[in-house]
Amino acid sequence: MKYKLTTQQIASQVGGEIVILNHNKGAYYGLDEVGALVWNNLEKEPSTLDALCEAVTVEYDIDKETCQEDIELLLKDLISEKLVEETE
């Protein structure tokens, strides 16, 4: 299973964080540095949970299990807000 950004959003980097506007809802969302790293990876190409965790664990001192749990929660939130979608 891969994840990708939807077309219902536009994002901008502000400092080390990402600010996202959902076109349909007219709502803004913010991601911290770790969320921004995940977002930037998805912006390049669709990615798997494992690949996203690998990118995060290379940059930050976090164990793989905790990383996977955190990234899964982030992706679930982004999917519920229609900012990210699952793809093959």
Side-chain angles (χ1 to χ4, degrees), residues 41-54:
N41 275 278
L42 290 174
E43 208 166 41
K44 293 176 195 166
E45 63 185 358
S47 191
T48 64
L49 176 63
D50 284 341
L52 293 171
C53 277
E54 188 174 320

Side-chain angles (χ1 to χ4, degrees):
M1 174 79 53
K2 288 189 175 184
Y3 300 90
K4 68 176 185 174
L5 303 183
T6 68
T7 57
Q8 298 179 31
Q9 53 72 32
I10 187 166
S12 185
Q13 185 119 10
V14 180
E17 300 181 351
I18 297 279
V19 177
I20 309 156
L21 170 65
N22 180 316
H23 295 300
N24 294 343
K25 287 187 172 183
Y28 283 95
Y29 304 90
L31 297 177
D32 64 12
E33 289 181 8
V34 176
L37 178 63
V38 170
W39 186 269
N40 287 334
N41 275 278
L42 290 174
E43 208 166 41
K44 293 176 195 166
E45 63 185 358
S47 191
T48 64
L49 176 63
D50 284 341
L52 293 171
C53 277
E54 188 174 320
V56 170
T57 55
V58 165
E59 284 293 317
Y60 297 95
D61 185 24
I62 184 172
D63 65 272
K64 187 173 181 173
E65 186 177 310
T66 303
C67 180
Q68 283 197 319
E69 290 172 8
D70 291 352
I71 302 298
E72 280 180 330
L73 282 173
L74 174 62
L75 290 171
K76 186 177 178 183
D77 288 346
L78 293 172
I79 288 168
S80 73
E81 295 300 328
K82 306 217 181 322
L83 301 172
V84 168
E85 62 191 5
E86 295 176 342
T87 185
E88 291 302 317

